[in-house]
Amino acid sequence: MSDYFHYQDNQLHAEQVPLADIAAQFGTPCYVYSRAALTDGYRQFSNALQGREHLICYAVKANSNLAILNVFARLGAGFDIVSGGELQRVLAAGGDARKVVFSGVGKTVAEMRLALDAGILCFNVESAAELERLNEVAGNMGKVAPVSLRVNPDVDAKTHPYISTGLKQSKFGVAYGEAIALYRRARDLPHLRITGVDCHIGSQLTETSPFIAAAEKILALVDALAVEGIRLEHIDLGGGLGIRYHDETPPAIADYVAALLGALRGRSEKLILEPGRVLVGNAGVLLTRVEYLKHGEEKNFAIVDAAMNDLMRPALYEAFHEILPVCREPFPQSSPACGGGGDREKQSLIYEIVGPVCETGDFIGHARNLAIAPQSLLAVLSAGAYGMSMSSNYNTRPRVAEVMVDGRVAHLVRERETVAQLYVGEKTIL
Ligand code: LLP
């Protein structure tokens, strides 16, 4: 659990606000973020990078709520985007286009135009075909596109196969052996300007060694390019630093950055990083309420009001998220939100924590020992990254509210969707 979510008088709080109060005010399910946790994570990066020219480009896909983007923008962050939509969010949140890097294997012409108009820092180009297209689009607009090649270093990130991106067989980046030829091509194209190199080998990495292995390969490439007279302004080493969900022991931000800086010793290029999960993952929880307890023949189920459409990581990756009761015994007398109703009759049992969606894969957690009753509130931890941003409307479930806590105040930063909003663009035919 992060320092920003903690028990006080047996009630789980986000900073100074009891989560039970947030549930009472905004309803459940809802995501709750801690502004201080976001700020703290960002500062750990910027402190560790002090003295070196750098840009921390928050990976928007991890959580793209405007309030979160705005917190980072005000701290001076840049952004790593993967769509025109994410660019529009960054601009709407007050982000600076000149600090935006654009990754992704499938950039459309419309997205390239949008990014060129906005004046982004660079395109992380992922294929030869994309390089040609970008040159053409920029030429048609009378512009020169800043380009960095995303190179696949062929390093095993030792993480879940769905989120491992740096191996030869992955769809990402250009092959290491083809990179120099592609840089030569980029140099010859009139509407491109080479600015850097990029790599990203995967997500939820819990060791430093794959990052260093990738960095060393990228640096060897930078040296080979220099021999050709191609000098780079920046080196982007991607994101991917993992967090603790359960019993993982990822390196601290400061140690990870120190290791990267060690590999970069003696070089003057600007260092760009694209952290996502590590900045937001443990800065958010998903607050949910128990609807029913159901005692099956083999298992006990706690059916909660959040489901796989709200947090799909367990269903998709069998990911583990810790689940804690919002109120634990002995309940404080002072809190009407805790210990009301059924909470007094709760029993401690091993539960499957499941949602109402019609799929067996719809679970939030397996075999959790919890003392709960119908109406009990639960907090699903480490849900700030790839929670809301991967949510869907499956089963016509409106997307949940999002709340950001700042000290003693809880701000609603996204309203709960209404069902009417879900079918606003739909039509019946005659
Ligand atoms: N840069 C690029 C080019 C990326 O593709 C990603 C994530 C990042 C940066 C940020 O990586 P991070 O620091 O967050 O690890 N949905 C999965 C994670 C997918 C990550 C995709 N790429 C999950 O819930 O675990």
Side-chain angles (χ1 to χ4, degrees):
M1 196 164 26
S2 93
D3 297 345
Y4 303 97
F5 294 91
H6 56 93
Y7 284 103
Q8 202 174 306
D9 290 339
N10 288 321
Q11 285 198 75
L12 196 55
H13 285 60
E15 300 188 26
Q16 302 311 310
V17 182
L19 288 175
D21 291 359
I22 292 176
Q25 191 178 351
F26 301 107
T28 57
C30 77
Y31 278 98
V32 183
Y33 310 120
S34 154
R35 178 185 188 164
L38 299 168
T39 303
D40 181 29
Y42 184 84
R43 292 236 163 93
Q44 286 183 46
F45 270 98
S46 58
N47 289 341
L49 286 159
Q50 235 170 33
R52 167 155 204 127
E53 204 193 342
H54 70 270
L55 184 62
I56 302 157
C57 290
Y58 166 64
V60 173
K61 65 168 82 70
N63 189 320
S64 54
N65 183 286
L66 294 195
I68 289 190
L69 302 181
N70 177 260
V71 165
F72 290 135
R74 286 202 266 169
L75 289 166
F79 297 92
D80 167 53
I81 60 163
V82 289
S83 70
E86 287 189 349
L87 176 56
Q88 284 170 276
R89 279 186 173 275
V90 166
L91 299 177
D96 183 349
R98 291 166 306 177
K99 295 182 179 175
V100 168
V101 299
F102 192 171
S103 305
V105 293
K107 301 175 194 79
T108 65
V109 169
E111 288 176 322
M112 288 175 172
R113 294 184 72 92
L114 193 70
L116 283 165
D117 259 335
I120 65 166
L121 177 64
C122 83
F123 291 83
N124 289 337
V125 169
E126 304 218 15
S127 66
E130 184 190 335
L131 201 65
E132 301 295 329
R133 178 186 278 185
L134 183 59
N135 178 60
E136 194 182 317
V137 172
N140 290 340
M141 294 173 75
K143 291 190 186 270
V144 173
V147 166
S148 167
L149 289 188
R150 174 166 176 186
V151 177
N152 187 334
D154 192 24
V155 165
D156 185 355
K158 299 183 201 139
T159 182
H160 191 287
Y162 286 11
I163 53 176
S164 192
T165 52
L167 282 171
K168 254 196 253 186
Q169 53 268 40
S170 118
K171 71 173 175 180
F172 297 100
V174 303
Y176 190 76
E178 290 165 19
I180 292 191
L182 223 52
Y183 270 103
R184 288 189 195 120
R185 175 72 183 144
R187 178 177 53 188
D188 294 342
L189 289 171
H191 308 294
L192 301 183
R193 185 172 72 83
I194 296 170
T195 60
V197 62
D198 168 50
C199 79
H200 172 79
I201 56 173
S203 196
Q204 184 54 17
L205 274 69
T206 53
E207 290 170 36
T208 311
S209 52
F211 289 115
I212 299 305
E216 280 169 356
K217 288 190 83 169
I218 294 297
L219 294 174
L221 176 65
V222 172
D223 292 340
L225 289 170
V227 172
E228 305 243 340
I230 299 176
R231 283 179 213 291
L232 306 182
E233 293 161 23
H234 73 247
I235 298 173
D236 179 343
L237 294 178
L241 181 58
I243 62 170
R244 186 180 182 105
Y245 286 98
H246 190 202
D247 48 13
E248 303 90 336
T249 51
I253 291 171
D255 295 336
Y256 155 80
V257 171
L260 296 182
L261 291 180
L264 287 168
R265 217 185 342 258
R267 296 180 184 260
S268 58
E269 296 89 350
K270 175 181 189 163
L271 173 61
I272 297 182
L273 295 175
E274 303 171 355
R277 187 191 316 265
V278 73
L279 287 178
V280 291
N282 278 324
V285 303
L286 173 60
L287 196 54
T288 183
R289 193 181 285 282
V290 176
E291 289 284 349
Y292 298 102
L293 295 182
K294 179 166 164 175
H295 303 287
E297 270 179 32
E298 290 197 3
K299 286 183 172 172
N300 299 305
F301 295 95
I303 301 160
V304 299
D305 61 5
M308 65 188 284
N309 71 296
D310 304 309
L311 177 66
M312 79 179 299
R313 302 192 71 256
L316 188 59
Y317 314 113
E318 295 185 68
F320 179 97
H321 286 261
E322 196 173 330
I323 302 173
L324 293 179
V326 167
C327 305
R328 63 181 187 190
E329 280 186 296
F331 299 129
Q333 294 300 323
S334 57
S335 171
C338 273
D343 257 1
R344 297 258 175 238
E345 281 106 57
K346 63 195 189 166
Q347 269 187 283
S348 185
L349 284 174
I350 308 285
Y351 286 103
E352 294 293 297
I353 312 297
V354 300
V357 161
C358 306
E359 303 238 7
T360 302
D362 178 28
F363 69 92
I364 306 284
H366 289 307
R368 304 303 172 87
N369 192 354
L370 287 164
I372 45 178
Q375 301 304 313
S376 292
L377 288 168
L378 296 174
V380 183
L381 303 192
S382 313
Y386 306 108
M388 186 65 179
S389 63
M390 292 176 76
S391 68
S392 78
N393 295 118
Y394 189 39
N395 281 206
T396 304
R397 290 170 51 83
R399 271 174 301 169
V400 306
E402 291 175 287
V403 171
M404 187 179 289
V405 171
D406 185 10
R408 297 184 179 284
V409 187
H411 301 271
L412 183 64
V413 294
R414 180 183 167 122
E415 287 176 21
R416 187 178 305 284
E417 262 174 351
T418 64
V419 171
Q421 284 175 317
L422 301 191
Y423 51 74
V424 75
E426 297 178 32
K427 290 185 177 60
T428 56
I429 62 168
L430 289 179

